[in-house]
Amino acid sequence: MAEDYNDIMTTATDAANDMAETATGRMDRMKAEADKAIGKAKDAASAAYDKAAAKARELADAAPEKAREVRERAQKVAEEGTAKVRTTVQEQPLAALGAGVALGFVVGWLLSGRNKD
């Protein structure tokens, strides 16, 4: 009976050791897979950061050129408007004078507050 008990205990101990080794092996594989996934995530995040930083640098480098283009367009529009006004005043001086007087009257009327007590 003691031998049976010892055999059972030995078998149970061997089975427990096998299960522990199996569990340890699985945990090691799971840890390795998790480390691999974390590494891939870090690489992907780093690549995304590098791409965003490159795009930000590209936009920052292009900003002065865009500002210059906008300034040049605004200057061109202002020059064209001034030329049109000059031409209109030269071709129709009385109409331009009348428009100026009318505009002055309207602005004065609006600024006066129209409330006379």
Side-chain angles (χ1 to χ4, degrees):
M1 182 122 166
E3 280 183 33
D4 290 337
Y5 175 77
N6 287 339
D7 287 343
I8 292 172
M9 288 305 291
T10 301
T11 302
T13 301
D14 290 345
N17 287 337
D18 288 343
M19 288 173 51
E21 288 176 16
T22 301
T24 301
R26 286 183 183 163
M27 286 180 11
D28 289 344
R29 283 193 304 277
M30 288 172 56
K31 183 183 181 302
E33 289 177 19
D35 289 343
K36 187 176 177 183
I38 289 170
K40 285 182 180 180
K42 284 181 181 178
D43 291 344
S46 178
Y49 173 81
D50 291 344
K51 186 176 179 180
K55 186 64 175 177
R57 280 191 296 274
E58 178 183 322
L59 291 172
D61 291 344
E65 178 65 22
K66 292 290 183 187
R68 185 189 60 75
E69 289 173 6
V70 169
R71 186 185 73 239
E72 287 175 358
R73 271 189 260 145
Q75 186 175 8
K76 183 177 178 182
V77 168
E79 288 171 357
E80 288 172 358
T82 301
K84 285 181 183 179
V85 169
R86 184 175 294 125
T87 301
T88 302
V89 168
Q90 288 173 351
E91 290 176 358
Q92 301 174 358
L94 291 178
L97 180 63
V101 168
L103 180 62
F105 176 76
V106 170
V107 170
W109 180 68
L110 290 172
L111 293 176
S112 71
R114 298 181 303 189
N115 291 335
K116 303 224 177 194
D117 291 336

